[in-house]
Amino acid sequence: MELTQALHRAVQQIPNRPATILGERTRTWAESADRVARLAGLLRGLGVQPEDRVAILSANSDIYHEFMLAACWAGAAFVPVNTRWAVSEIAFSLEDSGTGVLLVDETFAPLVSDIRELAPVVSEVIVDGTGPAPSGMHHLDGLVARACPQSGSG
């Protein structure tokens, strides 16, 4: 069974019903599937290959949901990072798992330079937030808007 099977089924049966709601933002199953496919394409564009590790350091959100499914869609392994860990613990988990791409929300963006110093395996960092991406990081919304959807799913 594919991990994205429930997403595909929801798109077939209830494409215009809400999939996620975060504050004022509501995404339908069809919109969510499009973003997942674009995120998967984005990951591939950053060099992520099947069985590579991609991680997220973020509070629960619709982006968390989409990124988790996109990792599976791209054939990568999803690595959730505990938001309560110290920087050294976060870096150890990323280095130990061989994670090359990390998505952080803007709350955790200030930790990235320390994480990168302790976990040089992290080659790409994507930040989800309202302001511009800090130096050395990609802004999620800009990348998703330009990404080509990845066909198929994992």
Side-chain angles (χ1 to χ4, degrees), residues 7-57:
L7 175 63
H8 293 294
R9 187 159 174 81
V11 170
Q12 290 172 345
Q13 295 186 340
I14 51 172
N16 297 316
R17 287 200 187 155
T20 59
I21 300 170
L22 181 69
E24 297 297 315
R25 182 170 62 208
T26 300
R27 290 205 176 108
T28 66
W29 284 106
E31 292 167 333
S32 194
D34 178 65
R35 283 186 55 90
V36 167
R38 287 181 183 282
L39 278 166
L42 159 66
L43 291 173
R44 286 301 185 95
L46 290 174
V48 172
Q49 297 297 310
E51 300 186 24
D52 283 355
R53 292 352 181 223
V54 298
I56 188 167
L57 177 59

Side-chain angles (χ1 to χ4, degrees), residues 2-130:
E2 295 179 354
L3 293 174
T4 56
Q5 183 176 356
L7 175 63
H8 293 294
R9 187 159 174 81
V11 170
Q12 290 172 345
Q13 295 186 340
I14 51 172
N16 297 316
R17 287 200 187 155
T20 59
I21 300 170
L22 181 69
E24 297 297 315
R25 182 170 62 208
T26 300
R27 290 205 176 108
T28 66
W29 284 106
E31 292 167 333
S32 194
D34 178 65
R35 283 186 55 90
V36 167
R38 287 181 183 282
L39 278 166
L42 159 66
L43 291 173
R44 286 301 185 95
L46 290 174
V48 172
Q49 297 297 310
E51 300 186 24
D52 283 355
R53 292 352 181 223
V54 298
I56 188 167
L57 177 59
S58 173
N60 288 340
S61 69
D62 53 348
I63 303 301
Y64 197 105
H65 166 259
E66 292 166 355
F67 193 72
M68 177 183 66
L69 291 172
C72 298
W73 193 295
F78 178 73
V79 179
V81 178
N82 190 325
T83 59
R84 295 177 187 206
W85 281 345
V87 169
S88 60
E89 294 170 308
I90 293 167
F92 175 83
S93 73
L94 298 173
E95 191 69 27
D96 189 53
S97 64
T99 296
V101 176
L102 172 64
L103 172 71
V104 298
D105 66 25
E106 62 190 346
T107 303
F108 299 99
L111 305 178
V112 169
S113 62
D114 292 337
I115 291 170
R116 280 184 143 166
E117 186 176 318
L118 296 170
V121 70
V122 176
S123 59
E124 302 287 347
V125 177
I126 304 165
V127 64
D128 174 38
T130 55

